[in-house]
Amino acid sequence: MASLFAPQVERHRRVPAEVRDAICALKAEHPPLNIYEITTICWVRFGHRASSHTVKRILAEVQRISVTTRHDPSRPAVPPDR
């Protein structure tokens, strides 16, 4: 029976979870970055060139992104008053 039906093929490849997380983290840490800059960063970091449409779709799927950690945790938040 398998030969009677065409095999089902995915229309789109899935973006690796690591790349998806990086896209969300980049937008959360650096909101002014545009879509094309994010695609270039992903290409340099992971060797995976995602299209701008894919990045827009990933960011639209994710709810409001907030940063809960600091960029440089080694520095103190505020120096004490003297």
Side-chain angles (χ1 to χ4, degrees), residues 47-63:
H48 179 84
R49 184 179 289 273
S51 72
S52 59
H53 299 289
T54 303
V55 173
K56 287 179 187 177
R57 182 177 45 82
I58 290 170
L59 292 175
E61 289 174 357
V62 178
Q63 293 179 355

Side-chain angles (χ1 to χ4, degrees), residues 8-72:
Q8 293 184 359
V9 179
E10 283 189 43
R11 293 183 59 158
H12 302 286
R13 293 187 318 180
R14 302 283 303 175
V15 177
E18 184 180 32
V19 176
R20 291 175 69 87
D21 294 341
I23 289 170
C24 295
L26 280 169
K27 193 61 174 178
E29 291 177 7
H30 308 287
L33 283 177
N34 65 31
I35 302 299
Y36 301 106
E37 292 170 333
I38 292 174
T39 58
T40 304
I41 291 169
C42 288
W43 178 51
V44 170
R45 273 194 198 172
F46 304 106
H48 179 84
R49 184 179 289 273
S51 72
S52 59
H53 299 289
T54 303
V55 173
K56 287 179 187 177
R57 182 177 45 82
I58 290 170
L59 292 175
E61 289 174 357
V62 178
Q63 293 179 355
R64 178 65 68 169
I65 302 169
S66 64
V67 178
T68 57
T69 59
R70 296 185 40 195
H71 293 289
D72 187 10

